[in-house]
Amino acid sequence: MSLLDQFGRPIRAADVRALREERAGPTLAGVRPVISGHPADGLTPGRLAAIHRAAAGNDGLAYLELAEDIEERDLHYGGVLNTRRRAVAQLPITVEAASDDAEHVKHADFVRDWIKSGVLEGALFDILDGIGKGFSVMEVMWLTEPRAFVPERLEFRPQRWFEVLPEDGQTLTFREGGERIPLSPHKFVVHRHPQKSGILLRSGLARVASWAWMYKAFTLRDWAVFVQNYGAPLRLGRYGPESSEAERDVLWKAVANIAGDCAAIVPRGMEIEFIEAADKGAGSDLFERRADWLDRQISKVVLGQTTTTDAVSGGHAVAREHRLVQE
């Protein structure tokens, strides 16, 4: 009896030897580096749109790096995404025989024994990384013993190491020496997560969540500036017409270095009127309300509901209904 791949094709003897070899591991100075870029730094709406357009054209490197960035930088997105991944990873794994035939029962027992090793259970969280990015790739490291070939390890491979063929927008390849190498069918487990119908690089949750994350980042930055300067006096320095440029520089340094950002210098005799908002309390809450609203939208797209992550009014019945949505 020969070993078959996922498509039912016999695996050749040469391929069996390759089962033990690492095919898509990291390279120190090559096409699969461990260190990645950080496109989230200083992200603007124009640059984010360009990243999404590039991904739609099968150039997904910046998008996949961004998807990893926002998981690390946004507490709420990282939390709800991990909630979804861990909820699935903890589900019980069952194996049913194809029939009551003795050979089929023997096959099922063989798979159950392998599942007890914990290899699959330990890899499920990494496999579910495809929820955010649209796909995940695990390389199978096989244990080849007489009469028993089983996966000994499932090694996570970062999505940015792979490319999608432009011909169909679906077929994954990995980079090797400047070429696109097809994935060996017996060496990789590929999980595809279709958040929406279409090409692979447009199917991850991060594509939707990145917009909310960016606008929330703007809000949090403005909020931090507001909090830093809240209650601090405005420093206003005045200089006369006889002052030199050097003296004005000294005056500016004096008012700017006292505390915070609220400082200015003007010529003596110039009038500046500071008009305060009528309701400063409501204005200060604006940052929190906007950040919370964006968090709720992220909860909806990741979990399909909000009650399990955000406390809202409505009582026990609403909470139970939202829990059913999550399940």
Side-chain angles (χ1 to χ4, degrees):
M1 179 184 295
S2 61
L3 185 67
L4 306 180
D5 65 19
Q6 66 192 56
F7 304 110
R9 300 172 303 197
I11 298 177
R12 299 172 304 173
D15 292 333
V16 172
R17 290 192 295 271
L19 293 175
R20 307 182 186 93
E21 300 175 358
E22 190 176 82
R23 294 286 291 135
T27 55
L28 182 61
V31 293
R32 295 190 297 276
V34 174
I35 300 173
S36 70
H38 296 281
D41 294 342
L43 191 66
T44 63
R47 196 150 65 85
L48 178 57
I51 289 173
H52 284 322
R53 282 195 298 269
N58 282 325
D59 180 7
L61 178 59
Y63 163 70
L64 294 170
E65 291 176 336
L66 176 65
E68 191 167 358
D69 263 356
I70 64 176
E71 279 187 53
E72 296 174 350
R73 299 187 185 205
D74 190 283
L75 301 176
H76 186 81
Y77 177 66
V80 293
L81 192 61
N82 282 334
T83 295
R84 180 167 174 170
R85 292 170 66 180
R86 295 185 191 281
V88 177
Q90 294 176 44
L91 294 175
I93 302 172
T94 59
V95 179
E96 295 184 5
S99 71
D100 293 333
D101 183 88
E103 194 69 16
H104 290 168
V105 173
K106 181 180 177 181
H107 293 167
D109 290 338
F110 177 78
V111 176
R112 291 190 191 103
D113 289 340
W114 174 75
I115 287 178
K116 291 178 182 177
S117 69
V119 173
L120 177 59
E121 185 178 11
L124 281 176
F125 184 77
D126 288 334
I127 292 173
L128 292 165
D129 190 55
I131 294 173
K133 302 177 180 70
F135 70 96
S136 65
V137 182
M138 308 290 291
E139 183 170 1
V140 184
M141 309 306 295
W142 290 85
L143 176 65
T144 56
E145 295 181 344
R147 303 180 63 83
F149 286 17
V150 295
E152 186 177 26
R153 301 191 321 276
L154 296 176
E155 295 285 349
F156 175 75
R157 300 307 185 194
Q159 290 91 333
R160 64 180 183 274
W161 293 352
F162 297 84
E163 291 185 355
V164 180
L165 288 181
E167 290 82 1
D168 59 9
Q170 299 290 343
T171 304
L172 279 176
T173 62
F174 70 91
R175 303 186 188 99
E176 187 71 64
E179 299 181 1
R180 293 191 182 102
I181 307 299
L183 302 187
S184 303
H186 51 281
K187 278 292 287 180
F188 297 94
V189 175
V190 177
H191 167 55
R192 301 170 185 266
H193 180 81
Q195 164 66 17
K196 60 179 287 294
S197 302
I199 68 172
L200 192 60
L201 286 173
R202 299 182 68 172
S203 61
L205 288 173
R207 188 175 179 92
V208 180
S210 59
W211 289 102
W213 171 82
M214 181 185 63
Y215 291 126
K216 181 182 170 185
F218 294 160
T219 301
L220 295 180
R221 181 190 61 190
D222 295 340
W223 195 3
V225 173
F226 173 81
V227 171
Q228 179 184 5
N229 293 285
Y230 183 78
L234 176 70
R235 288 92 60 206
L236 187 63
R238 298 184 184 276
Y239 58 86
E242 73 285 354
S243 61
S244 65
E245 190 70 30
E247 290 172 331
R248 296 175 189 177
D249 289 341
V250 172
L251 177 61
W252 168 247
K253 290 178 181 178
V255 298
N257 293 331
I258 293 176
D261 295 330
C262 297
I265 61 173
V266 297
R268 185 177 296 128
M270 177 180 286
E271 183 177 325
I272 296 181
E273 184 178 3
F274 297 96
I275 301 176
E276 296 185 359
D279 188 354
K280 290 194 293 186
S284 62
D285 291 341
L286 176 64
F287 303 105
E288 182 177 7
R289 292 202 306 270
R290 188 181 189 210
D292 285 345
W293 184 85
L294 289 168
D295 278 346
R296 289 196 299 273
Q297 308 319 301
I298 290 176
S299 293
K300 291 174 185 176
V301 76
V302 177
L303 300 177
Q305 44 78 36
T306 60
T307 302
T308 58
T309 56
D310 306 283
V312 296
S313 61
H316 182 63
V318 174
R320 287 185 61 188
E321 182 177 348
H322 282 217
R323 175 64 69 183
L324 290 174
V325 172
Q326 181 179 10
E327 291 176 357

